[in-house]
Amino acid sequence: MHQLPAFQPAVVVIGAGPAGLTAAHELTRRGRAVTVLEADDVVGGISRTVEREGWRFDIGGHRFFTKVPAVEAWWHEVLGEDFLSRPRLSRILYAGTLFDYPLKPMNALRNLGPVEAVRCVSSYLAAQVRPPRDQSHFEGWVSARFGRRLYGMFFKTYTEKVWGIPATDIQADWAAQRIKDLSLGTAILHALRPGRSATKVTTLIDRFQYPRTGPGLMWERATERVRAGGGTVQLCSTVTRIERDEDGVVAVDVRTTDAAGRTGGQERLPVGELISSMPLPELVLAMDPPAPEHVQEAARGLSHRDFLTVALVVPESAGFPDNWIYVHSPEVRVGRVQNFGSWSPHLVKDGRTCLGLEYFVDEGDDLWESSDDALIALATTELDLLGLVGAGSVERGYVVRMPKAYPVYDEGYDRRVDVIRGWLAEATPNVHPVGRNGMHRYNNADHSMVTAMLTVENILDGAGHDVWAVNVEADYHEEAAVADADGPGTGRPADQTEVTAAALGTGRSAPVRPRRRPRVA
Ligand SMILES: Cc1cc2nc3c(=O)[nH]c(=O)nc-3n(C[C@H](O)[C@H](O)[C@H](O)COP(=O)(O)OP(=O)(O)OC[C@H]3O[C@@H](n4cnc5c(N)ncnc54)[C@H](O)[C@@H]3O)c2cc1C
């Protein structure tokens, strides 16, 4: 890395997640001074690896997969030998049976048995003859392509769990983005033609890359490199106010805390260029003088879906071979179950693995507010009821709450983002929103990184890239065949669950369902 010249205006980066650290890395690589301000006491943002009593687990499982060569090269440069290639297995648990994921219609119809299969195909044919009148929402769009019966089994519950709203309130463009032009008819046709893939989407990939001890390792190493290159990464430092004048942003106020969250102090940091991965609405609302009322209103209108994970420690032998299992059963609130021992053998400790039970929540709802003990008890009961792992095998548990895991694509979100973009470009041209929440985009880590890479080229080279043109491609996500979830495009995030309307927010803590081991297809 270069010697840093002292005279250039300071580049300040808000957030030490994938986007912020990529920006900082590229800046220091090119000899530019940078200060990263991170509110939390760890790096990695949503892509962090949480560590509790020596156990390491993800906020959700984080696959490293990209079609962008620069990102692929970056990951290898940063992690070298510690970047593993891992086999992938993920299935859907529905009605006590494990189905292939991505959903393969022939496998699904076989597993459902002849009677149910006939009902599903009839329901599909009925939808061809008489398509749902309203296909502007998720339910209508999917039912038209798969029939109401398959929709009810494999799309509705999980999607509603993820987003926490009825599927009729989720816009069809999300389904279109995730499922593309697939329908039951085309899928069966493809499956019957040898050499043709039923769902030619990237979710079919059977291997993925993964850092040896979890995604956080990537961001811990990136931080070391930024610091070695002369950059500063300051943890426990929350940007609370963004000061601007008629030309743009001139400084940020930073509140520092200790690891226990106690406020330590307040400092003002001058800014030449500001790269921001903090949530877009918070960026706008931190402006001083404040943004015009209509811009603030647009910011207040953007919302997020939150997430919590309960990690349960069980003997490795009690785990399952899947990296994760989608839980489509409506009678439990859990949406997806990870087995981190299947992600990396280095996450197995003392013959034990961590299972991550994922719940899609809203900050302040009954699950979010439940005590850790109550959540661990709920997760243990649900794991047992699903027949995945008996309650007696659970040795201990940990809870991690992650606010703003998903930017919500509800009606009008795009117009609100446009209002904010337009105002930022005009009033604060030295502010550069990047990343996922930073741009209110359903970006995976690779696209979050690309926005940062392009931004650095804009700042250093005047490259003129349109960073907002970096988009979310359906193929990257885990949602294609069941519209699952780290990517919504609708009303709310769809990372992975589907609870019926009743399930989220009822306060019901345990399902009432006879335990039975899933039938492995
Ligand atoms: C359940 C789940 C599963 C996922 N799975 C995958 C996957 O398999 N593969 C994949 O590529 N991607 C996956 N993603 C997406 C991935 O996590 C994100 O794309 C990525 O973390 C976004 O990076 P970012 O830097 O833009 O934002 P973040 O990771 O959100 O980082 C932003 C950082 O900014 C900090 N911050 C916020 N406000 C302030 C402030 N005021 N002052 C200072 N700091 C602040 C935050 O603390 C945070 O550390 C998944 C996401 C979820 C929720």
Side-chain angles (χ1 to χ4, degrees):
M1 305 227 177
H2 305 186
Q3 262 321 89
L4 298 175
F7 53 89
Q8 292 159 320
V11 182
V12 170
V13 175
I14 305 176
L21 286 172
T22 300
H25 187 273
E26 296 312 289
L27 286 159
T28 49
R29 190 207 288 276
R30 296 188 55 187
R32 185 69 179 260
V34 61
T35 300
V36 181
L37 301 167
E38 168 54 53
D40 234 314
D41 60 353
V42 290
V43 297
I46 303 171
S47 303
R48 75 188 59 185
T49 296
V50 176
E51 190 163 353
R52 295 273 197 279
E53 298 183 315
W55 299 100
R56 281 173 73 92
F57 49 89
D58 304 10
I59 307 290
H62 271 69
R63 285 186 313 146
F64 284 68
F65 173 71
T66 188
K67 289 177 180 173
V68 184
V71 170
E72 181 75 25
W74 199 100
W75 287 340
H76 283 273
E77 181 189 338
V78 170
L79 272 193
E81 301 276 288
D82 288 326
F83 205 31
L84 311 180
S85 166
R86 298 291 301 154
R88 170 199 169 136
L89 174 64
S90 51
R91 286 175 292 178
I92 296 170
L93 179 56
Y94 175 77
T97 300
L98 286 164
F99 292 77
D100 284 352
Y101 177 81
L103 197 57
K104 294 185 188 115
M106 297 309 272
N107 168 270
L109 296 176
R110 208 172 31 243
N111 282 348
L112 290 169
V115 174
E116 191 54 54
V118 168
R119 284 194 188 127
C120 289
V121 172
S122 313
S123 154
Y124 165 71
L125 294 174
Q128 302 318 293
V129 178
R130 226 161 181 244
R133 234 176 303 150
D134 187 355
Q135 294 184 34
S136 67
H137 51 63
F138 183 82
E139 180 169 309
W141 195 97
V142 178
S143 301
R145 284 151 186 86
F146 291 87
R148 281 200 71 82
R149 210 157 175 99
L150 275 178
Y151 160 75
M153 289 170 183
F154 294 112
F155 296 87
K156 176 181 165 65
T157 315
Y158 185 80
T159 303
E160 290 184 343
K161 272 188 191 178
V162 170
W163 296 102
I165 51 174
T168 44
D169 288 352
I170 297 172
Q171 288 169 26
D173 60 356
W174 180 62
Q177 188 184 28
R178 299 284 167 248
I179 305 170
K180 292 186 159 172
D181 56 356
L182 184 65
S183 72
L184 181 64
T186 53
I188 291 178
L189 213 65
H190 282 233
L192 295 175
R193 277 195 230 151
R196 300 284 306 266
S197 156
T199 47
K200 204 176 173 313
V201 291
T202 326
T203 44
L204 286 176
I205 59 174
D206 56 6
R207 294 195 79 81
F208 59 85
Q209 298 180 103
Y210 190 70
R212 195 167 52 86
T213 55
L217 185 65
M218 181 71 78
W219 309 112
E220 290 153 21
R221 292 275 172 80
T223 302
E224 287 164 17
R225 290 168 70 99
V226 169
R227 287 177 173 153
T232 301
V233 180
Q234 220 176 284
L235 301 181
C236 303
S237 301
T238 307
V239 171
T240 53
R241 176 177 159 267
I242 301 171
E243 188 183 321
R244 63 188 184 92
D245 65 14
E246 60 282 358
D247 295 324
V249 162
V250 292
V252 293
D253 280 2
V254 187
R255 189 187 64 228
T256 53
T257 50
D258 62 17
R262 286 183 293 259
T263 304
Q266 190 88 19
E267 61 173 314
R268 179 178 176 278
L269 210 62
V271 167
E273 301 284 347
L274 184 66
I275 299 178
S276 168
S277 67
M278 72 190 278
L280 189 61
E282 293 178 13
L283 172 81
V284 169
L285 297 173
M287 291 286 177
D288 189 11
E293 190 47 47
H294 75 283
V295 180
Q296 291 187 52
E297 203 181 302
R300 285 193 210 98
L302 292 176
S303 61
H304 299 84
R305 181 85 162 143
D306 311 299
F307 180 86
L308 73 79
T309 199
V310 182
L312 300 177
V313 177
V314 303
E316 191 185 5
S317 55
F320 39 81
D322 306 59
N323 308 99
W324 68 87
I325 292 176
Y326 294 102
V327 181
H328 280 226
S329 318
E331 60 281 355
V332 292
R333 298 181 73 173
V334 66
R336 195 167 70 161
V337 186
Q338 306 282 343
N339 179 3
F340 290 108
S342 300
W343 284 76
S344 167
H346 303 279
L347 293 174
V348 175
K349 186 167 86 85
D350 307 331
R352 286 160 180 81
T353 183
C354 259
L355 304 182
L357 281 84
E358 301 177 356
Y359 294 87
F360 305 93
V361 295
D362 286 323
E363 211 174 330
D365 73 9
D366 64 319
L367 280 182
W368 184 270
E369 293 298 325
S370 294
S371 68
D372 288 5
D373 285 348
L375 288 168
I376 291 164
L378 171 69
T380 304
T381 307
E382 294 198 341
L383 195 61
D384 190 316
L385 280 158
L386 289 169
L388 287 173
V389 178
S393 297
V394 176
E395 298 180 8
R396 77 198 83 159
Y398 310 96
V399 176
V400 179
R401 293 173 181 77
M402 178 52 69
K404 299 190 172 51
Y406 303 94
V408 170
Y409 282 18
D410 49 7
E411 205 189 336
Y413 89 93
D414 43 355
R415 286 194 304 277
R416 295 185 190 102
V417 170
D418 282 348
V419 168
I420 295 171
R421 268 177 71 177
W423 179 75
L424 286 174
E426 190 142 314
T428 59
N430 61 341
V431 172
H432 311 274
V434 292
R436 177 165 163 123
N437 286 333
M439 302 175 78
H440 206 81
R441 273 284 166 82
Y442 205 80
N443 284 335
N444 260 356
D446 65 333
H447 279 153
S448 302
M449 294 174 65
V450 172
T451 62
M453 290 173 172
L454 297 181
T455 294
V456 169
E457 290 182 7
N458 283 349
I459 292 173
L460 298 186
D461 309 326
H465 297 298
D466 178 4
V467 176
W468 292 92
V470 175
N471 222 325
V472 184
E473 276 185 39
D475 325 28
Y476 283 71
H477 292 274
E478 284 306 327
E479 303 82 48
V482 285
D484 81 88
D486 177 72
T490 97
R492 325 219 45 189
D495 242 3
Q496 37 277 35
T497 324
E498 81 190 317
V499 118
T500 55
L504 280 177
T506 53
R508 186 161 55 92
S509 61
V512 220
R513 186 159 193 262
R515 176 147 48 102
R516 153 164 95 95
R517 283 206 83 78
R519 180 159 60 86
V520 178

